[in-house]
Amino acid sequence: MSDSSPDSSVPGDAPAPRRRLRPGERREQILHALAAMLEQPGAERITTAALARRLDVSEAALYRHFASKAQMFEGLIDFIEHSVFTLVRQIVEHPGEAGGAQRAARVAAMVLQFGERNPGMVRVMVGDALVFENERLQQRMNLFFDKVEATLRQCLRPAAEADGEAAPTVQAQVRAAALCDLIRGRLQRYARSGFRRLPTEHLDATLALLL
C-alpha cells in the first residue's frame, strides 16, 4: 500500500546550516553593532539586553567575548586610537612639502573627517556614551585628545620658530590648545545636533584664522 501522506523530509525544506564564524568575527560584530546603535538618537546609554536583541543572541553570548560592557567600549576606543594615530604618523613622518602649520591643519582636519565618517564613534570621543560607564574610559578619551594636542604642538613649534616668534614654545602651545578645542567643540556639536552639523563645515576658513 502506498503512503499518500506528504513527505516532511524533503531536502529542500531543511534549514540551511549556520555558517561557522571565524575566530574574532563575533567580537567584531558586537563592536560594529554597538557603534551602529550609538548613531541613533538618544542612544547615549545602551544596555547589553538591547545590544543582544540587535544581534539576535543572548546576553550570555556577549559575555563570552567581553567581560563587561566597559570592555566593549574599550574595544571601540582601541579602534579610534589605532585609526587616528596611524593616520597622524603618516602626516607627521611623511610631510612632503608641507610646513609645520600645514601639518597641524592636516591633523586637525583628519580627526574631524574621521568623526564625520564614524558618527557612532563621536559619541565615545566626546564622552556622551561614557557618562554612565567606568571612569577609566573617559580618562582614556581625555588622554587621546592630550596626545592629539601634543602632536599639534610638535608640528607648530618649528613654524613658530620660522616666524621669528619671541616665545615659540608658548606660541605653539597656545595654537595647539586652540586647535584641540576646535576639534572637540566641532565633534560635540556634530553629536548634539543629531549628526546634522558636519564637523568639517567651513573648516578651511576656520583653520586659516587659527593658523
Side-chain angles (χ1 to χ4, degrees):
M1 182 184 293
S2 64
D3 186 357
S4 59
S5 62
D7 185 355
S8 59
S9 61
V10 178
D13 292 341
R18 283 188 136 185
R19 181 176 67 85
R20 183 183 295 275
L21 297 177
R22 59 179 172 76
E25 187 173 357
R26 176 64 77 193
R27 182 184 175 90
E28 292 174 8
Q29 288 178 345
I30 293 168
L31 293 178
H32 186 272
L34 177 57
M37 291 177 73
L38 287 169
E39 296 181 17
Q40 305 306 312
E44 287 81 2
R45 189 172 191 182
I46 293 173
T47 64
T48 52
L51 181 59
R53 283 196 300 273
R54 184 181 181 93
L55 288 162
D56 194 24
V57 298
S58 66
E59 287 186 73
L62 300 181
Y63 290 116
R64 282 198 289 271
H65 300 276
F66 294 94
S68 64
K69 189 168 62 160
Q71 198 175 81
M72 298 176 199
F73 277 107
E74 285 184 316
L76 295 185
I77 295 173
D78 288 340
F79 173 79
I80 292 166
E81 290 177 337
H82 175 76
S83 301
V84 169
F85 289 116
T86 296
L87 295 172
V88 164
R89 284 192 296 273
Q90 292 175 8
I91 293 169
V92 173
E93 295 174 6
H94 306 285
E97 299 298 318
Q102 290 173 306
R103 291 199 300 276
R106 287 180 183 176
V107 169
M110 178 273 295
V111 177
L112 292 173
Q113 288 162 0
F114 171 84
E116 191 170 303
R117 292 193 299 267
N118 299 278
M121 300 296 182
V122 171
R123 290 198 191 275
V124 178
M125 295 170 77
V126 302
D128 289 355
L130 306 178
V131 172
F132 301 103
E133 304 302 330
N134 192 296
E135 186 180 348
R136 76 173 183 276
L137 300 174
Q138 185 60 66
Q139 291 170 348
R140 277 192 66 179
M141 286 316 311
N142 290 341
L143 181 60
F144 167 86
F145 283 106
D146 287 346
K147 290 172 68 176
V148 170
E149 185 172 336
T151 299
L152 294 170
R153 261 196 323 271
Q154 175 188 341
C155 293
L156 290 167
R157 193 178 191 285
E161 290 173 342
D163 290 342
E165 296 285 351
T169 300
V170 173
Q171 186 66 25
Q173 288 174 342
V174 170
R175 288 182 175 175
L179 270 180
C180 203
D181 286 345
L182 170 71
I183 293 168
R184 296 182 86 153
R186 288 291 186 96
L187 292 174
Q188 286 173 341
R189 186 184 70 180
Y190 185 43
R192 291 167 192 178
S193 70
F195 307 116
R196 291 186 295 274
R197 294 288 302 277
L198 298 181
T200 56
E201 181 180 64
H202 308 306
L203 183 59
D204 290 343
T206 306
L207 291 174
L209 289 173
L210 290 175
L211 298 172

